[in-house]
């Protein structure tokens, strides 16, 4: 008979050593860190065989546009770790980035009413 406490016991916090090892001890990316909502995509450039497995995983997922947060979710790593790895790939020319799209300004209500009036007049 199994002890039910074993089934519900959490595995514990994730190791703090692993992200440190993945980034080579770096806590911050080179240059300006990418925003979590920034989009990244792999390039057609050939990449060296000596890439870390995490770099390869990022390149495999970045065949289309993905946000930094989505890449972090695919890797199961904190976004800060992924920002360092993406910074490496960007420096090596293996990914391109697109900054987040800024939020639009509020639309002018007067103009929206004029547009609505114009549309209604053609009905």
């Amino acid at each position: 008979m199994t002890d039910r406490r074993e089934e519900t016991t959490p595995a514990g916090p994730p190791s703090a050593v692993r992200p440190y090892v993945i980034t080579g001890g770096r806590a911050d990316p080179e240059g300006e860190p990418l925003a979590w909502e920034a989009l990244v995509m792999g390039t057609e450039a050939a990449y060296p065989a000596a890439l870390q497995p995490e770099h390869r995983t990022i390149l495999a997922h970045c065949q289309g546009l993905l946000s930094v947060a989505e890449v972090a979710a695919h890797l199961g790593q904190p976004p800060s770790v992924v920002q360092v790895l993406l910074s490496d790939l960007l420096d090596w020319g293996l990914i391109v980035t697109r900054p987040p799209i800024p939020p639009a300004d509020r639309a002018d209500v007067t103009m929206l009413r004029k547009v609505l009036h114009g549309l209604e007049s053609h009905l």
Side-chain angles (χ1 to χ4, degrees):
M1 182 172 224
T2 60
D3 186 1
R4 289 198 159 278
R5 287 177 291 172
E6 290 178 17
E7 294 175 14
T8 59
T9 303
S15 172
V17 174
R18 182 75 172 134
Y20 181 83
V21 171
I22 290 172
T23 63
R26 296 169 293 154
D28 297 315
E30 296 292 322
E32 188 69 27
L34 294 170
W36 288 16
E37 64 273 12
L39 299 175
V40 297
M41 184 172 78
T43 64
E44 297 294 322
Y47 51 91
L51 283 179
Q52 289 178 219
E54 292 80 14
H55 286 122
R56 289 181 181 278
T57 303
I58 289 172
L59 291 171
H61 285 294
C62 289
Q63 298 304 309
L65 289 171
L66 280 180
S67 71
V68 172
E70 290 173 310
V71 174
H74 284 296
L75 258 61
Q77 294 293 332
S80 58
V81 170
V82 172
Q83 286 174 324
V84 172
L85 297 174
L86 288 172
S87 174
D88 292 343
L89 294 172
L90 188 59
D91 289 345
W92 300 331
L94 299 176
I95 62 168
V96 293
T97 63
R98 190 176 106 194
I101 299 170
D105 291 332
R106 291 192 67 139
D108 181 18
V109 176
T110 305
M111 181 166 58
L112 290 175
R113 284 189 179 130
K114 288 178 183 178
V115 170
L116 180 61
H117 178 69
L119 291 172
E120 289 173 339
S121 67
H122 289 346
L123 291 178

